Amino acid sequence: MSASLKHLLASREALLAIVIVLTAIVFAVASPTFLSAAHLFGVVRASVVIGIMALGVMTVLLTNGIDISVSATAVSAMYITTVTLRALDYQGTFLVAVIMAMVIGGLLGAINGVLVSLLRLPSLIVTIGTLTMYRGALLAFVGTERIHDLPARMSEFSMVSLISTHSAGRDVQLHISAVILLGLAIVLALALRYVWWGRSIYAIGDNEEAARRVGVNADAVRTTAFVISGALAGLAGILYAAMNRAADPSTFVGTEMTVLAAVVLGGTSVMGGRGTVLGTLLGVLLISVVGSSLVLVGIPAAWQSLFIGLFLLLGVCVPAIRERSIQRSRGLVVFE
């Protein structure tokens, strides 16, 4: 085997791509409708909201933190924005709703960032607490009503498509939100690779003390990571409401585990300092392919939670086993 091929297969992204292809082949053999445009467009659509949240969570994980509150942030930003715009009888551009939701999400993310960075509290405990607090405050003070009468421009967004075709006996569309996810992914990837902020994200996740010594403001960088995670969660929430033409305060319950599984499966280390946007997108795609295809092959949708838990364990265990194997091969002492 050539050195270049060995290097390719050693990358997490290449292995994930192979797994996705093999999984797709299995589902395609089990159900011919898997390869229909209707199903494939559905997989992409299902990936958008999870993918946008995953980009934010990945950013936090790179700093050696974790954000469990993204689901509550998303639903809070989505519902507060919708309720406010309806109360104002707003009929303008959907962009205002997007900006408003991202601002609300960013503010909620900033709360996490301040608690973690300035008060030196564990991010896991903080975001579990804010997960419960945000969702509880939403239900207690904003409302519990499922809203179907959205502002006109929000409802119209659900019909904006990139590609339209006929499949499985009906007209199907590839929603424009796929372009939004792709655009965000490209911008974040470039920022992480070429901008000082992005390099600082990796630096504090890899070795925070060393990063501080070279002038990185670790507290500020970590806080911005939480703000970005919150803003992207807010964006995901408002896009979900617009695409489904409904704002439900009970939405996204448990979604944080799906998002975390996708990010970890994509190769982002829970210890910080390692991870890529491409890997995260591939992790999201694999989970979406499996989740969207279970029903096609006659497996109850309730099994999706089992697969998500399995993916999360694999995402954590496989890198740990691989690292331990590398240490043994180098003759390093590994404590069992």
Side-chain angles (χ1 to χ4, degrees):
M1 185 181 294
S2 66
S4 59
L5 183 57
K6 285 183 179 180
H7 178 73
L8 176 64
L9 294 178
S11 73
R12 187 64 169 266
E13 293 82 358
L15 290 176
L16 260 179
I18 292 172
V19 171
I20 291 172
V21 171
L22 293 177
T23 302
I25 292 173
V26 170
F27 279 122
V29 172
S31 174
T33 58
F34 176 85
L35 294 177
S36 67
H39 179 71
L40 295 179
F41 287 177
V43 170
V44 174
R45 186 185 179 102
S47 301
V48 170
V49 170
I50 298 299
I52 292 174
M53 289 190 197
L55 293 177
V57 171
M58 181 204 72
T59 306
V60 174
L61 274 181
L62 288 175
T63 68
N64 193 22
I66 191 169
D67 188 357
I68 301 296
S69 68
V70 285
S71 62
T73 300
V75 72
S76 297
M78 173 261 287
Y79 199 74
I80 292 172
T81 298
T82 304
V83 169
T84 302
L85 294 181
R86 287 179 76 245
L88 296 174
D89 194 27
Y90 177 76
Q91 301 298 323
T93 174
F94 178 54
L95 181 60
V96 170
V98 168
I99 294 173
M100 184 175 176
M102 292 185 71
V103 169
I104 293 172
L107 291 174
L108 296 179
I111 294 174
N112 290 331
V114 169
L115 292 175
V116 171
S117 298
L118 300 186
L119 300 183
R120 300 291 189 271
L121 299 177
S123 58
L124 176 63
I125 303 303
V126 167
T127 55
I128 288 176
T130 53
L131 166 71
T132 307
M133 183 178 72
Y134 294 163
R135 192 174 287 275
L138 176 68
L139 297 176
F141 300 113
V142 181
T144 59
E145 175 191 1
R146 180 182 173 89
I147 300 174
H148 293 279
D149 182 23
L150 301 181
R153 296 296 182 268
M154 284 183 64
S155 297
E156 290 173 4
F157 180 77
S158 66
M159 302 301 295
V160 181
S161 61
L162 184 64
I163 300 173
S164 297
T165 187
H166 191 77
S167 176
R170 58 192 177 93
D171 293 328
V172 295
Q173 297 84 31
L174 177 60
H175 198 266
I176 194 67
S177 58
V179 176
I180 297 175
L181 172 60
L182 182 60
L184 287 171
I186 292 173
V187 170
L188 182 59
L190 292 175
L192 289 173
R193 185 175 181 86
Y194 297 109
V195 178
W196 168 254
W197 169 85
R199 295 195 294 270
S200 299
I201 286 281
Y202 281 104
I204 65 175
D206 186 53
N207 189 325
E208 182 172 338
E209 184 58 33
R212 289 181 182 274
R213 289 177 180 175
V214 297
V216 175
N217 188 335
D219 294 335
V221 172
R222 181 175 286 111
T223 300
T224 60
F226 277 102
V227 170
I228 288 172
S229 181
L232 291 180
L235 173 61
I238 200 67
L239 290 180
Y240 180 89
M243 287 190 292
N244 291 276
R245 300 185 185 183
D248 188 345
S250 63
T251 303
F252 299 135
V253 174
T255 303
E256 64 279 354
M257 289 296 103
T258 304
V259 173
L260 183 60
V263 176
V264 173
L265 186 63
T268 301
S269 172
V270 294
M271 304 302 292
R274 287 194 302 259
T276 64
V277 170
L278 177 59
T280 297
L281 292 182
L282 290 173
V284 170
L285 181 59
L286 178 57
I287 286 181
S288 296
V289 166
V290 173
S292 300
S293 305
L294 291 177
V295 178
L296 289 179
V297 296
I299 300 176
W303 282 63
Q304 184 175 354
S305 297
L306 185 151
F307 283 102
I308 289 173
L310 179 61
F311 287 149
L312 184 56
L313 288 175
L314 287 174
V316 174
C317 293
V318 171
I321 294 172
R322 182 181 177 186
E323 182 66 24
R324 184 167 295 186
S325 176
I326 292 174
Q327 289 179 344
R328 285 199 182 98
S329 67
R330 293 175 177 174
L332 300 177
V333 176
V334 180
F335 294 97
E336 304 290 348

